[in-house]
Amino acid sequence: MEAILALIIVAAGVAGVVYVLARRMAPLFRAAKGPAIDRIGERLYGVYWFPHHRMPRPGYEVAGYTHITTLVSLIVLSIHVLMVIYSGFVGFEIPGLESAVGVGYAVISDIALTVLFIACVFAAVRRGVLKPPRYEVPEKYGKDKSRPWAVFLVSFLAAVALLDMIYLGSDAVAAKAAEEGYRFILPLTGTWFAAIIMSGLSASAAGTVNVVSYFILLIGIFVFVNLLPFDRLFHTITGPVTVFCKKLERGSVKPVQWGVDDESVADLESFGVKKFEDFNWKHILDFYSCADCGRCSDNCPANASGRPLSPRFISLKGRDYAFSHYPLKGPFVKNEPLVGDIFSEDEIWSCTTCGACEEECPVTIEYIDKIVDLRRGMIDDGNVPQSLQKPLNALGKRGNPWGKMEKKRPEWIKELPEGVTIKDLSSGDTAETLYFVDSMSSYDDRMMDLARATATVLSAAGADAGILGKNEKDSANDVRRFGEEMLFMELRDHNSEMIAGSGAGNIVTSDPHALNALKKDYKDMPPVEHISEFALRKLKEGTLSFASLDEEEKGKIYTYHDPCYLGRHNQVYDPPREVMDAIPGMNRVEMSRCRDRSFCCGGGGLMLFYEPEEEERMGVHRVRMAKEAGANVIVTACPFCLTNIEDAIKVAGLEGEMEALDLCELVARHIGS
Amino acid sequence: MEILVCVKRVPDTAENEIELNAEGNDIERDDLVYSVNEWDNYAVEEAIQMVDKHGGSVTVVTVGDEESEEVLRREMAMGAEKGILLSDDAFEGSDGKGVAAILKAAVEKGSYDLIMTGAQADEGYAQVGGMLAAMLDYPYASLVNSIEVGDGKLKVGREVEGGNIEMNEIELPCVLSIQTGINEPRYVGIRGIRKVASVEIPAMGASDLGIDAGSVGEDAAKVRRIDYFVPEMGEGAEMLEGSTDEIIDKLIELLKSKGGIK
Ligand SMILES: Cc1cc2nc3c(=O)[nH]c(=O)nc-3n(C[C@H](O)[C@H](O)[C@H](O)COP(=O)(O)OP(=O)(O)OC[C@H]3O[C@@H](n4cnc5c(N)ncnc54)[C@H](O)[C@@H]3O)c2cc1C
Ligand code: SF4
Ligand code: SF4
């Protein structure tokens, strides 16, 4: 009789989960093609590594360790849960207790159950009473439906754990009352407490409690599992899959459509994401997997500076869309355009593609690719702000966003310092090393200093270096990231041809955006290095050495700002620091946000032209961070960072007090021995 | 509604240092890149939006050489359905009146309810729209910055001196010259242009249009540019120095003393 009841509950529970999951998966099957999943070993390791290392990152230790504890307890308990369910079919006898291994596992389960209970109560109190600001839902994103639900679910889980303790405890009490032997119960575990509290019960009363608690527990377990796909806790099911399918190539951008190569991309009906089903399945899975922990937005510079973008809500709005348009019952709702309705245009243009969100997310949710895909859709529809149309048109016509003449690109080499030489390869000369200058350092008056400093470093290290001169065009790193794929392809093809034609054996650049494009977006390039890597190599080889800082400089405190496209996207964190530290007399401090937590300066490439709604510039935040660290010289390694930070120093009214400098300029000033 | 928009191919001069040619009567054009006259983009965008709402079609027309075809394609990539290239050796060197006469002939070859031009082109004459209207004997509104479609007529807004807006009712068919800012013209990428790359664009010469070759072109032009120069730099450029606050104070003082602000 009991076995039949248990069977009914289990069957209903399993059917429920299967049905809900099947409905939830429907949009994934209607979605665009996703990435091919290769490198299985690396992926499996990632599933283990990412959640562990990301959850307790600095600032999130409490939440992180609570979460890891819960996760580990649930993994430990997974077999136990199956045993408990099974026990209902065999006279409420937990299997395996005859063996030492079985008893050992039962004891470990008791501990895990206790820990799980405490962690859930703590989490409920934290979300419900302590309310960390990270979980706040700003008014513009509607009512916070999520918090009460979260508190309910963790409380529910705590209740399930409690029921399990009662079930296990009552079994022990019944056995004891019947004067039968029972397995060892570790004192101070939940099961132990439950047994103590119920110790006064007779064998039959304890038996009744045992049976009744079993059925409530069984229902509880299945209700809980059935509730998972309704909210952030869905990540317990989809999260590991998302981490497994994560993009492995940092700094790269997904192709317009997976499985469609460059030759046939132009023939596609439509570009980018315009309606929900234009997202690929991995991205829809991402929406489901977001744990709503708020860390992405907590680290997003666009969010911090008051731009209308909070990455967390890109996911939450995506998930809500999937839930409402693919309801559990009834027909699927016809799709609507996303931009202008679910996502605002400004929201999508506000992202600097800095990667801070992706670096932080414990579930490795991707944002940059989604934003680029949405931008591709807007570009395809011609829906582009006027502030971006001009530079895009100019890039198409003249290969630089200002529409300046091609022949002016190498103007900066006309005023090189004494003894510095660099060849202009457009005249047919050849060189071993190609310096890819890119538009910013070629055309911007101030940034030409940076180009000259780079040439100085190359020259001092004895490199046989040249530039493409008028034959170089914009690297198009940001053209691609702003969604103009066809223009990117045209510029890439032009540069690739010129680079191949130059015969250079290696490429050096001082622009991390160019570095990223050449490494991640171009194909068949000779080895590409950032100038900081080059300088470090030459220092180690002994072909470059530094003279000491002068007395005035020795009094200054330097800090290094990691450019997003050098640090996060290309993992070059140490070379610039090592180069700085090699200058005798250098006094360098770190900002609290450094390395993979670096805070974007405001964005480079086309972001320079976009006019965002914002309360305060990102650069101003960054300059303040440097000031807090006690620095008065901000050294960076990117022409866009330098522009943004120099502007921000003025805006923050810190002229005279703070200064900004490119690493190349610092190095060029101290070449010597 | 059938709409004809006149578009012109102009040099992209925004960020380029302009140099005079050897004769001194024009700018050096070898290093220039060309695009469609900025105002004309607004006119085409407005026409497309009107057609989207009220039906009909948009045709773009230009007077120029074969290279002008690229601006027609660009506007067709925006959404104009047809393009017409008015090209003939006899048209070369036409003045504004000549261009208007050629366009008039093109208008008469079709049946359009509305003709739109840009308010002005690169050279800022702002003459073609008005002359075209006069030649067609159509009503004309210049510097239009809003259009509402009514029955057989339009309600058009014009920005007048001091930022005031004037509303007019104008009967169709008519000619409007469009001011920038009337809308936000859409972006046209390479992909869009490729999509219309193979669309046939008919070219019409003087005989197709029934124009007497002698009435247009350089020889018939009654306005002739005789010189082109960069004015001498005046004296009195003064660099204000000091901190930002000091500079601001000095500037305010200067403006006050010269009567710029009270
Ligand atoms: C190299 C050169 C030589 C010239 N030589 C002479 C000369 O010898 N004598 C002389 O009188 N003028 C000459 N011009 C001036 C030229 O004819 C006028 O500039 C032009 O026809 C009208 O002036 P605009 O471009 O300012 O047009 P606007 O009247 O300011 O333009 C307003 C609108 O008219 C329409 N429009 C203008 N031109 C065209 C076109 N070609 N096709 C379709 N629509 C158009 C567009 O909608 C435009 O927005 C010369 C111009 C150039 C570039
Ligand atoms: S990439 Fe940077 S700016 Fe864009 S959403 Fe992520 S954190 Fe924000
Ligand atoms: S996307 Fe990642 S970091 Fe952001 S709220 Fe979701 S789980 Fe947290």
Side-chain angles (χ1 to χ4, degrees):
Chain A
M1 181 62 213
E2 280 100 350
I4 293 171
L5 187 55
L7 187 67
I8 292 171
I9 297 172
V10 171
V14 171
V17 178
V18 169
Y19 176 76
V20 175
L21 286 183
R23 294 292 290 200
R24 288 289 189 244
M25 290 308 121
L28 271 70
F29 288 99
R30 296 190 168 198
K33 223 177 146 197
I37 304 299
D38 51 1
R39 293 149 81 178
I40 304 296
E42 196 178 334
R43 292 181 181 281
L44 280 174
Y45 183 71
V47 175
Y48 159 76
W49 192 91
F50 277 106
H52 270 77
H53 285 77
R54 289 212 167 154
M55 280 192 273
R57 271 166 72 88
Y60 307 128
E61 291 89 345
V62 174
Y65 287 115
T66 310
H67 196 285
I68 290 179
T69 310
T70 316
L71 174 64
V72 172
S73 322
L74 283 172
I75 292 172
V76 169
L77 288 169
S78 52
I79 300 172
H80 167 80
V81 170
L82 294 178
M83 287 172 154
V84 167
I85 295 172
Y86 176 74
S87 70
F89 295 87
V90 291
F92 308 102
E93 233 22 274
I94 300 279
L97 289 182
E98 321 62 61
S99 76
V101 178
V103 174
Y105 176 67
V107 172
I108 294 171
S109 300
D110 284 342
I111 300 172
L113 201 56
T114 315
V115 170
L116 176 69
F117 177 73
I118 296 170
C120 286
V121 171
F122 176 72
V125 171
R126 203 165 151 271
R127 289 252 180 184
V129 185
L130 303 177
K131 302 187 178 173
R134 182 153 49 91
Y135 303 134
E136 289 299 313
V137 176
E139 216 167 299
K140 64 177 165 191
Y141 296 111
K143 238 178 72 199
D144 184 359
K145 297 168 287 195
S146 157
R147 193 200 321 262
W149 185 245
V151 173
F152 167 73
L153 275 184
V154 280
S155 311
F156 195 98
L157 186 56
V160 171
L162 200 61
L163 268 166
D164 197 1
M165 293 170 192
I166 294 171
Y167 174 60
L168 297 174
S170 58
D171 195 26
V173 171
K176 214 167 150 207
E179 289 178 356
E180 285 163 23
Y182 200 71
R183 70 158 167 100
F184 170 69
I185 298 176
L186 188 71
L188 299 182
T189 57
T191 313
W192 182 79
F193 279 115
I196 297 249
I197 291 167
M198 292 182 288
S199 59
L201 297 181
S202 66
S204 73
T208 311
V209 172
N210 189 241
V211 174
V212 172
S213 63
Y214 171 83
F215 283 107
I216 304 178
L217 174 63
L218 194 63
I219 294 170
I221 289 170
F222 280 106
V223 168
F224 182 73
V225 173
N226 272 283
L227 285 178
L228 293 178
F230 286 85
D231 188 61
R232 59 149 68 77
L233 281 189
F234 203 4
H235 81 268
T236 52
I237 300 171
T238 57
V241 188
T242 295
V243 180
F244 182 78
C245 300
K246 164 188 193 322
K247 179 165 91 177
L248 298 176
E249 217 50 72
R250 277 172 181 274
S252 66
V253 165
K254 73 174 270 293
V256 173
Q257 205 171 101
W258 287 105
V260 175
D261 59 12
D262 279 3
E263 279 69 50
S264 17
V265 75
D267 306 331
L268 287 174
E269 243 336 270
S270 164
F271 261 43
V273 169
K274 296 176 184 171
K275 54 182 189 354
F276 190 72
E277 292 73 10
D278 292 334
F279 280 119
N280 65 65
W281 61 260
K282 163 64 171 61
H283 285 170
I284 296 180
L285 190 69
D286 277 1
F287 294 144
Y288 287 162
S289 297
C290 170
D292 196 8
C293 70
R295 294 167 194 222
C296 48
S297 296
D298 211 19
N299 287 277
C300 169
N303 187 40
S305 55
R307 292 191 188 187
L309 166 65
S310 172
R312 170 187 173 206
F313 290 96
I314 300 268
S315 286
L316 296 186
K317 287 191 280 187
R319 188 191 65 194
D320 287 349
Y321 184 101
F323 284 5
S324 60
H325 289 71
Y326 288 87
L328 290 184
K329 49 179 224 279
F332 301 141
V333 182
K334 218 174 102 50
N335 54 51
E336 304 152 38
L338 292 175
V339 174
D341 189 11
I342 312 292
F343 304 122
S344 83
E345 290 156 31
D346 289 331
E347 183 175 14
I348 301 307
W349 294 117
S350 280
C351 170
T352 68
T353 66
C354 74
C357 49
E358 297 187 0
E359 191 71 38
E360 212 68 43
C361 178
V363 208
T364 69
I365 307 284
E366 289 159 23
Y367 282 106
I368 295 174
D369 275 355
K370 292 192 191 100
I371 285 179
V372 169
D373 262 349
L374 285 159
R375 288 176 178 175
R376 283 173 176 156
M378 287 198 276
I379 294 257
D380 203 39
D381 284 344
N383 184 3
V384 181
Q386 301 299 317
S387 60
L388 290 174
Q389 288 197 22
K390 277 217 160 121
L392 281 168
N393 286 329
L395 279 157
K397 291 217 149 94
R398 303 227 95 134
N400 71 80
W402 299 276
K404 294 196 180 178
M405 289 188 192
E406 294 85 342
K407 67 177 183 199
K408 300 256 160 126
R409 195 173 260 271
E411 285 275 280
W412 61 273
I413 60 171
K414 288 189 180 156
E415 287 167 44
L416 287 177
E418 274 283 306
V420 174
T421 53
I422 189 146
K423 299 177 191 164
D424 183 345
L425 307 183
S426 65
S427 58
D429 236 343
T430 56
E432 177 49 32
T433 300
L434 175 70
Y435 169 28
F436 196 96
V437 194
D438 219 345
S439 303
M440 188 65 175
S441 315
S442 296
Y443 288 110
D444 184 273
D445 279 342
R446 165 70 181 95
M447 294 313 134
M448 287 185 195
D449 292 343
L450 199 161
R452 285 186 279 259
T454 309
T456 308
V457 177
L458 288 165
S459 201
D464 169 29
I467 58 170
L468 292 175
K470 66 174 170 28
N471 291 338
E472 184 188 288
K473 285 184 190 277
D474 198 276
S475 69
N477 186 62
D478 304 281
V479 172
R480 185 172 210 198
R481 283 152 187 82
F482 271 75
E484 186 30 315
E485 185 77 5
M486 298 296 282
L487 179 56
F488 153 75
M489 281 166 57
E490 199 173 273
L491 292 166
R492 177 198 60 190
D493 293 347
H494 169 89
N495 283 328
S496 301
E497 195 187 317
M498 292 299 149
I499 291 169
S502 77
N506 66 317
I507 305 178
V508 171
T509 179
S510 49
D511 186 328
H513 292 246
L515 176 87
N516 192 67
L518 293 169
K519 284 182 108 163
K520 309 291 163 72
D521 297 340
Y522 286 41
K523 280 180 212 103
D524 307 321
M525 287 288 114
V528 190
E529 262 179 325
H530 184 251
I531 187 74
S532 62
E533 298 171 286
F534 171 86
L536 183 64
R537 193 156 55 80
K538 293 294 169 184
L539 272 173
K540 289 185 175 160
E541 285 172 12
T543 33
L544 197 64
S545 58
F546 295 149
S548 169
L549 296 178
D550 64 25
E551 285 315 309
E552 195 200 328
E553 289 170 323
K554 279 185 188 159
K556 291 179 179 168
I557 300 170
Y558 292 77
T559 190
Y560 175 70
H561 162 78
D562 289 275
C564 307
Y565 274 96
L566 189 59
R568 271 192 294 268
H569 292 308
N570 283 284
Q571 302 285 293
V572 179
Y573 295 120
D574 292 317
R577 291 179 165 81
E578 285 178 49
V579 170
M580 280 175 77
D581 294 346
I583 304 175
M586 172 60 61
N587 184 0
R588 185 172 66 83
V589 296
E590 287 286 7
M591 291 183 262
S592 60
R593 297 199 73 110
C594 62
R595 304 181 70 95
D596 59 359
R597 274 254 174 106
S598 183
F599 188 90
C600 181
C601 66
L606 287 162
M607 197 40 93
L608 232 44
F609 298 85
Y610 177 65
E611 293 152 6
E613 290 169 38
E614 63 189 350
E615 282 150 23
E616 190 163 54
R617 291 191 195 196
M618 294 179 194
V620 173
H621 285 268
R622 192 55 171 158
V623 169
R624 281 209 206 98
M625 293 179 201
K627 195 170 182 248
E628 272 162 34
N632 40 34
V633 186
I634 305 173
V635 178
T636 178
C638 165
F640 299 109
C641 293
L642 188 56
T643 304
N644 284 324
I645 292 176
E646 283 190 340
D647 281 352
I649 290 176
K650 289 182 201 143
V651 174
L654 290 169
E655 263 170 305
E657 219 176 301
M658 301 280 283
E659 63 180 301
L661 205 59
D662 190 86
L663 181 73
C664 286
E665 296 178 289
L666 180 69
V667 167
R669 282 181 206 172
H670 295 93
I671 286 169
S673 50
Chain B
M1 186 162 7
E2 295 305 308
I3 307 178
L4 180 74
V5 189
C6 309
V7 300
K8 185 186 180 189
R9 179 172 179 262
V10 301
D12 222 346
T13 50
E15 275 291 335
N16 299 307
E17 299 89 65
I18 304 294
E19 287 167 31
L20 292 190
N21 67 2
E23 295 87 63
N25 63 353
D26 198 10
I27 53 177
E28 191 56 72
R29 286 168 191 268
D30 290 348
D31 265 338
L32 292 178
V33 288
Y34 288 80
S35 52
V36 65
N37 175 36
E38 189 181 352
W39 283 265
D40 302 350
N41 268 337
Y42 287 86
V44 173
E45 176 68 44
E46 194 63 20
I48 295 168
Q49 289 186 11
M50 285 164 76
V51 164
D52 280 349
K53 251 192 247 152
H54 306 282
S57 79
V58 181
T59 305
V60 283
V61 62
T62 191
V63 181
D65 50 20
E66 305 89 71
E67 290 184 71
S68 299
E69 214 189 87
E70 75 177 29
V71 303
L72 293 177
R73 286 211 193 276
R74 190 196 178 280
E75 305 310 278
M76 288 165 77
M78 277 177 89
E81 210 168 282
K82 281 175 280 189
I84 307 171
L85 175 65
L86 308 177
S87 186
D88 200 307
D89 290 345
F91 297 165
E92 248 169 73
S94 294
D95 60 2
K97 181 163 167 251
V99 171
I102 301 163
L103 290 171
K104 170 188 181 251
V107 171
E108 285 170 346
K109 285 270 157 201
S111 82
Y112 304 101
D113 306 297
L114 173 62
I115 320 295
M116 283 161 127
T117 73
Q120 58 174 10
D122 57 324
E123 291 161 299
Y125 297 104
Q127 53 178 332
V128 169
M131 282 201 253
L132 176 60
M135 289 177 184
L136 288 164
D137 200 17
Y138 280 3
Y140 175 60
S142 61
L143 297 166
V144 169
N145 65 4
S146 75
I147 303 177
E148 262 174 60
V149 179
D151 192 20
K153 51 189 173 227
L154 302 175
K155 209 158 120 197
V156 298
R158 298 181 65 248
E159 192 177 313
V160 289
E161 197 85 27
N164 296 328
I165 305 285
E166 173 193 287
M167 294 304 290
N168 302 273
E169 220 167 55
I170 187 165
E171 266 173 50
L172 290 170
C174 66
V175 179
L176 304 179
S177 84
I178 304 298
Q179 182 58 298
T180 55
I182 186 171
N183 51 43
E184 296 235 336
R186 65 198 67 190
Y187 175 74
V188 177
I190 300 169
R191 205 171 117 78
I193 292 174
R194 280 206 199 149
K195 278 192 198 157
V196 295
S198 53
V199 179
E200 197 67 40
I201 294 182
M204 298 173 102
S207 56
D208 306 312
L209 292 168
I211 297 176
D212 169 13
S215 68
V216 293
E218 194 162 358
D219 294 337
K222 301 219 166 48
V223 182
R224 235 171 270 270
R225 184 188 299 142
I226 50 171
D227 200 3
Y228 197 109
F229 63 92
V230 182
E232 295 264 317
M233 189 92 75
E235 275 179 30
E238 187 186 343
M239 296 301 286
L240 299 178
E241 281 174 14
S243 72
T244 311
D245 284 340
E246 283 164 9
I247 293 176
I248 293 170
D249 288 343
K250 278 185 205 163
L251 183 63
I252 292 175
E253 208 143 290
L254 270 174
L255 287 170
K256 270 189 187 153
S257 68
K258 309 253 184 218
I261 48 175
K262 292 192 185 91

